[in-house]
Amino acid sequence: MHGLVRGQNNPRLAMVERLCPGIEFAEGDLLDQSSLIAALETCQPDEVYNLGAISFVGLSFKQASLTGEITGLGVVRMLDAIRTVNSGIRFYQASSSEMFGKVRETPQTESTPFHPRSPYGVAKVYGHYITVNYRESYGMYACSGILFNHESERRGLEFVTRKITNAVAKIKLGLQRELSLGTMTSQRDWGFAGDYVRAMHLMLQQDAPDDYVIATGETHSVEEFCALAFAHVGLDWHDHVVTDAKFMRPAEVDLLIGDAGKARERLGWTTTVTFPELVARMVESDLAAHRAALSQGVAGG
Ligand code: F7E
């Protein structure tokens, strides 16, 4: 397994090496076509998983054209690099439920029309269709996984789930007093990232390439996530959560819920972690990390 590393002295490299020992790294950047070709020539992979993106929806409003370059055009650069080096390489594109945006139907399936609500969602629509187009035009084994929100204890602190579980742990341990959030009514179909990675791999092991929705089929609000996370440590979220307009977005996606019937039927894919289990494991992980930091006299993030 190889990982693509961008930039000089990338601080995430050490984190990935610690979590996944044994991975080899190649330098490359989704903005730079020749670096992608060189990376593929070095690694000679059988499969390429393109998860590279500016993936934080909030940031995409502030850096809209850069998001288009990386999250959108980065996909065609990778597809062209594959065509140049070895068109037999199987390709997975990380498409997103954010493409559904202002949803046209509920639940959302592979045939639900897109109506993205952010520069990120717009860029992902481009990435999705260019993947379909290269499959149809050049006979490439290229798949697009339309993944709904997938979370774990490895989630970045900028995303709402981890922001909440990290704050819950810190509040419980007396390291923080309150948590500021944006829109509490947004509803998301949150699943466990480990299950979703299994789905990505399954998509590339089939006889023919196709696109799949990956989701749990359940939706919960940010408020419900808070309630469960605080309750897990015996606290009431009403006592600690405040809202702050600075975390609200110029346009919001109000409700997402996916129908993964096609993936269940054709890939044999299922989820293994329930919503309450997901919340609990994230809170427990943050509690353990902050307790460990406290015992070593270090303040956690
Ligand atoms: O927001 C609301 C926020 O940033 C979830 C990415 O992986 O999943 C993710 O996109 C909801 C939104 O994820 C805060 O407004 C309230 O309604 O955790 P999030 P996301 O935007 O759903 C999709 C599938 C992707 O593809 C993306 O790459 O929570 N919310 N208060 C907040 N969100 C954040 N981040 N911070 C808050 O304080």
Side-chain angles (χ1 to χ4, degrees):
M1 193 187 300
H2 298 258
L4 194 69
V5 188
R6 180 174 62 90
Q8 284 175 240
N9 197 18
N10 188 324
R12 290 192 174 169
L13 181 58
M15 182 185 74
V16 176
E17 276 175 332
R18 180 172 51 80
L19 291 172
C20 312
I23 291 188
E24 291 177 38
F25 293 93
E27 289 173 1
D29 193 314
L30 287 170
L31 294 174
D32 186 296
Q33 180 84 51
S34 65
S35 73
L36 300 179
I37 292 172
L40 292 180
E41 278 173 344
T42 305
C43 304
Q44 295 291 331
D46 299 315
E47 300 172 355
V48 166
Y49 293 81
N50 180 39
L51 315 185
I54 286 185
S55 66
F56 183 38
V57 173
L59 178 65
S60 79
F61 284 101
K62 295 178 183 151
Q63 299 186 2
S65 61
L66 184 63
T67 303
E69 282 287 353
I70 297 170
T71 307
L73 288 175
V75 185
V76 76
R77 290 192 192 99
M78 185 61 90
L79 284 162
D80 278 334
I82 290 174
R83 287 182 67 214
T84 304
V85 175
N86 170 9
S87 61
I89 294 172
R90 294 188 169 200
F91 177 72
Y92 171 84
Q93 167 58 17
S95 285
S96 164
S97 54
E98 281 294 301
M99 301 188 306
F100 296 123
K102 196 171 172 61
V103 296
R104 306 280 182 87
E105 66 177 357
T106 296
Q108 294 85 52
T109 71
E110 292 79 5
S111 56
T112 301
F114 299 138
H115 184 151
R117 293 274 281 171
S118 63
Y120 170 81
V122 172
K124 281 289 180 186
V125 170
Y126 175 83
H128 177 80
Y129 280 129
I130 201 70
T131 301
V132 173
N133 179 255
Y134 270 45
R135 178 170 77 219
E136 293 175 353
S137 304
Y138 306 116
M140 293 173 70
Y141 191 113
C143 297
S144 169
I146 307 175
L147 270 52
F148 283 60
N149 298 53
H150 39 290
E151 317 292 318
S152 82
E153 53 279 13
R154 296 180 184 176
R155 191 55 140 153
L157 289 168
E158 67 273 38
F159 297 94
V160 78
T161 54
R162 184 76 200 296
K163 182 175 171 182
I164 294 168
T165 60
N166 185 56
V168 164
K170 290 179 83 171
I171 291 169
K172 180 68 182 172
L173 298 174
L175 299 168
Q176 181 174 326
R177 287 184 56 198
E178 64 177 26
L179 166 64
S180 300
L181 293 173
T183 308
M184 301 287 292
T185 51
S186 301
Q187 289 175 267
R188 291 290 183 276
D189 181 331
W190 278 297
F192 171 56
D195 286 337
Y196 289 50
V197 170
R198 212 175 56 253
M200 296 176 196
H201 181 251
L202 281 168
M203 281 179 220
L204 296 201
Q205 315 311 314
Q206 305 305 306
D207 292 338
D210 207 341
D211 307 319
Y212 297 89
V213 159
I214 302 297
T216 70
E218 268 184 43
T219 194
H220 300 275
S221 65
V222 172
E223 188 177 307
E224 281 175 79
F225 194 104
C226 274
L228 263 185
F230 277 92
H232 185 74
V233 296
L235 298 175
D236 183 343
W237 71 274
H238 294 98
D239 299 334
H240 303 281
V241 176
V242 295
T243 52
D244 185 333
K246 103 172 158 219
F247 296 112
M248 293 176 188
R249 297 169 181 177
E252 185 54 87
V253 173
D254 299 323
L255 166 76
L256 290 172
I257 177 166
D259 175 354
K262 179 175 167 184
R264 277 197 303 276
E265 192 184 310
R266 303 211 189 148
L267 305 177
W269 179 78
T270 50
T271 56
T272 63
V273 179
T274 66
F275 180 66
E277 286 167 354
L278 176 64
V279 176
R281 81 181 268 160
M282 291 178 70
V283 173
E284 285 298 330
S285 165
D286 281 318
L287 271 175
H290 287 296
R291 279 195 185 114
L294 274 177
S295 72
Q296 290 162 17
V298 185

